[in-house]
């Protein structure tokens, strides 16, 4: 669908190319020297804690915010100097994106078609395409406020691609949508990518990170890891990961973090994941928990998942930042 899309990018140029991209709000740095290269047709997931800078980065890349320093080119356009031209070549679903509830599906599409200046002659064909893609046949004249969340998100995605943008920025597009509808939404993302559309999508759902070609982990404005889900899982955590079940995970985590040989302990639902230093003995953990009168199962070694890698990396960088602050205080 995308071959006829006019784009400022030469074929070999990455679709997204950010170098040292930085956004400061007053003294606060929300996005800090970010380097990011994304090729045509890639689906890149953006993961990070609340306030990490995901939305700010996306808004910079859409040309909606001006960088404080650094540069970014998207679809061949400079985000700072060619923002106006860039916007015709991107699709953007903002974090709080909403459709008009008191308009029908078709009316919403007509409205957004106007905003994106889709020529009248091709608008009907584009609306038909989007209705089909989103699985909304028969619901064209249904009021959007009566649609379930999953349909609404797919219609919102449809509105963002009416003008056939070669790049899509989706900021938490599936938040609050039930799992099966999220899965369908991701099928659409992959269909678009297969046609050459490049997608940068932020999410808090780890299962969605697994659907991406690459995942970028951002924390406190910095890109702290990027790679395929497989590459990230294979990252050296510096120890062996154990899982155990415990009736009072909150108290157990505090006991374990203070224990010798424990590099990190984190709660995963009703389980605990504990990273033990190479050469340390996991069997002593049970005795420690028993001493603290906490009931727990015996620790079992497990392979780390993406979430383990992220938790470890975020905690590690938080500790490094704390040490850096201490050093600065000592020198002050
Ligand atoms: N216009 C602004 N003025 C001042 N601070 C801002 C502005 N926009 C964002 N910030 C701050 O920048 C930081 C990054 O915000 P951002 O919305 O990019 O995070 P996020 O990773 O998208 O978080 P979430 O997962 O909650 O959506 C936050 O501390 C936020 O308060
Ligand atoms: Mg956000």
């Amino acid at each position: 669908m995308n071959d006829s899309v006019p784009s400022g990018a030469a074929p070999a140029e990455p679709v997204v190319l950010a170098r040292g991209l930085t956004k400061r709000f007053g003294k606060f740095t929300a996005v800090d020297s970010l380097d990011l290269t994304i090729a045509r047709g890639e689906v890149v997931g953006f993961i990070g804690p609340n306030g990490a800078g995901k939305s700010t980065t996306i808004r910079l890349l859409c040309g909606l915010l001006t960088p404080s320093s650094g540069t970014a080119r998207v679809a061949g356009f400079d985000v700072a100097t060619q923002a106006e031209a860039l916007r015709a070549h991107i699709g953007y679903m903002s974090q709080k994106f909403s459709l008009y509830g008191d308009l029908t599906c078709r009316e919403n599409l007509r409205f957004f078609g106007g905003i994106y200046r889709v020529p009248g002659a091709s608008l009907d064909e584009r609306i038909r395409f989007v209705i089909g893609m989103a699985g909304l046949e028969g619901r064209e004249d249904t009021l959007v406020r009566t649609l379930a969340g999953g349909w609404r998100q797919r219609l919102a995605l449809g509105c963002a691609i009416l003008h056939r943008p070669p790049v899509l920025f989706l900021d938490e597009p599936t938040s609050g949508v039930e799992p099966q509808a999220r899965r369908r939404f991701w099928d659409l993302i992959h269909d678009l990518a297969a046609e050459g559309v490049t997608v940068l999508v932020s999410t808090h759902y780890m299962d969605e990170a697994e659907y991406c070609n690459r995942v970028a982990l951002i924390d406190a404005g910095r890109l702290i890891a990027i790679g395929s889900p497989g590459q990230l899982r294979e990252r050296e955590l510096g120890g062996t990961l154990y899982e155990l079940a415990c009736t009072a995970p909150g108290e157990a985590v505090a006991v374990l973090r203070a224990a010798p040989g424990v590099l990190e302990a984190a709660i995963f639902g009703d389980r605990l994941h504990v990273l033990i230093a190479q050469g340390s003995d996991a069997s002593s953990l049970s005795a420690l928990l028993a001493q603290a009168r906490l009931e727990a199962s015996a620790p079992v070694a497990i392979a780390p998942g993406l979430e383990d890698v992220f938790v470890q990396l975020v905690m590690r960088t938080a500790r490094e930042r704390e040490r850096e602050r201490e050093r600065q205080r000592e020198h002050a």
Side-chain angles (χ1 to χ4, degrees):
M1 89 176 225
N2 215 30
D3 290 340
S4 59
V5 170
S7 157
E13 185 179 344
V15 176
V16 174
L17 182 62
R19 287 291 170 264
L21 191 65
T22 300
K23 183 65 188 179
R24 283 183 287 271
F25 296 110
K27 284 189 174 153
F28 176 74
T29 306
V31 177
D32 194 355
S33 317
L34 193 102
D35 292 337
L36 187 64
T37 307
I38 305 180
R40 181 174 184 269
E42 255 197 304
V43 178
V44 174
F46 231 25
I47 306 269
N50 292 118
K54 304 178 296 294
S55 296
T56 307
T57 304
I58 289 176
R59 287 161 68 206
L60 286 166
L61 295 175
C62 290
L64 296 167
L65 285 175
T66 312
S68 306
S69 60
T71 59
R73 290 177 70 78
V74 172
F77 298 96
D78 185 289
V79 299
T81 59
Q82 298 174 293
E84 195 62 41
L86 165 66
R87 260 174 255 142
H89 298 271
I90 57 165
Y92 172 47
M93 245 175 99
S94 76
Q95 197 166 346
K96 298 262 154 58
F97 181 88
S98 66
L99 298 159
Y100 291 94
D102 52 355
L103 299 185
T104 66
C105 295
R106 199 197 310 273
E107 286 166 346
N108 267 280
L109 287 165
R110 288 210 157 276
F111 178 79
F112 283 98
I115 288 185
Y116 288 125
R117 300 205 182 116
V118 178
S122 57
L123 185 57
D124 284 338
E125 183 263 318
R126 288 302 294 158
I127 289 179
R128 261 196 306 280
F129 170 83
V130 165
I131 293 277
M133 178 203 82
L136 284 163
E137 295 101 336
R139 288 182 168 77
E140 293 88 340
D141 301 315
T142 303
L143 283 182
V144 160
R145 72 172 128 84
T146 67
L147 285 180
W151 305 103
R152 235 183 276 175
Q153 293 308 91
R154 291 201 295 278
L155 180 61
L157 177 67
C159 289
I161 62 161
L162 271 174
H163 56 308
R164 297 174 176 249
V167 200
L168 264 179
F169 295 98
L170 309 175
D171 198 356
E172 294 196 35
T174 56
S175 88
V177 177
E178 50 111 1
Q180 217 179 340
R182 292 204 279 121
R183 187 63 250 215
R184 277 206 66 185
F185 190 90
W186 274 86
D187 288 342
L188 294 183
I189 292 183
H190 287 132
D191 290 348
L192 290 165
E195 286 163 12
V197 178
T198 305
V199 185
L200 180 63
V201 48
S202 74
T203 178
H204 281 286
Y205 297 110
M206 278 307 146
D207 57 329
E208 297 189 343
E210 297 278 356
Y211 305 151
C212 299
N213 300 123
R214 282 190 302 152
V215 179
L217 176 61
I218 181 166
D219 182 35
R222 294 203 188 150
L223 188 71
I224 60 174
I226 183 162
S228 69
Q231 285 167 338
L232 290 174
R233 266 194 305 273
E234 279 160 25
R235 270 183 79 115
E236 191 46 71
L237 291 183
T240 311
L241 192 70
Y242 288 86
E243 182 176 78
L244 52 93
C246 186
T247 44
E251 291 165 53
V253 109
V255 171
L256 292 170
R257 280 187 184 154
V262 171
L263 298 173
E264 202 54 77
I267 300 173
F268 279 70
D270 61 345
R271 311 261 149 160
L272 292 179
H273 286 191
V274 191
L275 187 66
I276 310 273
Q278 243 47 282
S280 290
D281 184 10
S283 59
S284 63
L285 300 181
S286 300
L288 267 174
L289 291 169
Q291 255 173 30
R293 300 185 182 283
L294 294 167
E295 243 176 83
S297 64
V300 180
I302 55 162
L306 260 189
E307 187 151 8
D308 291 297
V309 177
F310 292 160
V311 167
Q312 300 300 331
L313 285 173
V314 168
M315 286 181 170
R316 194 176 299 170
T317 30
R319 275 196 302 273
E320 280 162 11
R321 268 200 307 276
E322 188 47 40
R323 274 199 293 273
E324 179 59 28
R325 272 197 291 270
E326 270 168 30
R327 266 198 298 276
Q328 282 170 358
R329 274 197 294 270
E330 280 163 18
H331 287 99

